[in-house]
Amino acid sequence: MSASESQGQAGPTESVAAQAARTRLEQRVASIESMLISFPMLLLEVALILSLFVPFASQTTDDEGTEVFNLFFFLGGFADRDDDGDPEAASILFASAFLLLILVIIAAICTTPVFRGKRISARAGATAVTVIIVLILGNLGAWMVMLMGIFADSPWELGPALPLLSIGTLLAAMIAFSPGYRSIWDR
């Protein structure tokens, strides 16, 4: 057996071994990328779900103690009436805004898991990014409403829901807009 025949037989063997090593490496990278998306996605989902149910604000009164309100409490503004029995415009406006925020949070909970998948369709990615943009705007609006109440000597105090919503929004924005994450889910 000549040296050239010996090298010809070793070449394909090395190629198969190198290909197997490359495949294992690709699987490890895919596993690490999956963890890099799964952990923040889990935190994002938990933060958004909790933001719906934990107290958004609390109010301390002398006679009743402390009352705690979650986001769903604000939907009661649709039923507010003035002395004449007419709907109060400001209450309906705020109730509408909080209803929209609740719907956007639910939409974000439902659409952001799209980023966990591989080979996301352009439509699914665009829909999830749009929901995240609206979530960012809703988060900013909620902070504006809460800060207006705090600085207007309102008896309301900030609850944990708004910080949780902000954490969830920041994680969603990071996954949707960060170039590193985008390269993972955009493949």
Side-chain angles (χ1 to χ4, degrees):
M1 182 183 259
S2 71
S4 62
E5 289 177 9
S6 170
Q7 287 177 352
Q9 290 175 352
T13 306
E14 289 176 358
S15 176
V16 170
Q19 187 176 16
R22 185 175 50 98
T23 302
R24 284 192 310 272
L25 185 60
E26 287 173 352
Q27 290 172 346
R28 286 180 183 168
V29 168
S31 175
I32 291 170
E33 286 178 346
S34 175
M35 289 187 316
L36 283 174
I37 287 209
S38 294
F39 183 68
M41 189 66 66
L42 177 66
L43 291 177
L44 149 74
E45 296 285 329
V46 168
L48 290 180
I49 290 169
L50 286 176
S51 72
L52 289 172
F53 299 106
V54 299
F56 185 81
S58 62
Q59 179 179 8
T60 304
T61 57
D62 294 333
D63 41 322
E64 293 182 23
T66 302
E67 291 182 76
V68 178
F69 311 104
N70 68 7
L71 281 175
F72 295 103
F73 166 81
F74 296 104
L75 299 181
F78 287 118
D80 283 351
R81 304 282 184 231
D82 62 10
D83 294 335
D84 298 330
D86 296 327
E88 288 190 24
S91 294
I92 291 176
L93 176 69
F94 282 113
S96 299
F98 281 105
L99 175 62
L100 184 61
L101 179 62
I102 290 169
L103 293 174
V104 168
I105 291 170
I106 292 169
I109 291 168
C110 293
T111 59
T112 52
V114 163
F115 295 129
R116 283 189 190 152
K118 294 180 181 177
R119 297 184 177 97
I120 299 170
S121 72
R123 180 177 288 169
T127 301
V129 167
T130 302
V131 167
I132 290 171
I133 290 170
V134 176
L135 180 66
I136 292 168
L137 295 174
N139 188 19
L140 292 173
W143 273 105
M144 286 179 16
V145 167
M146 198 61 199
L147 290 175
M148 283 189 318
I150 289 173
F151 289 119
D153 295 329
S154 171
W156 291 45
E157 295 177 15
L158 181 65
L162 196 51
L164 281 170
L165 177 62
S166 297
I167 290 168
T169 302
L170 288 173
L171 288 168
M174 177 186 73
I175 291 170
F177 302 117
S178 170
Y181 279 101
R182 193 168 183 107
S183 69
I184 292 172
W185 63 263
D186 208 19
R187 291 185 196 171

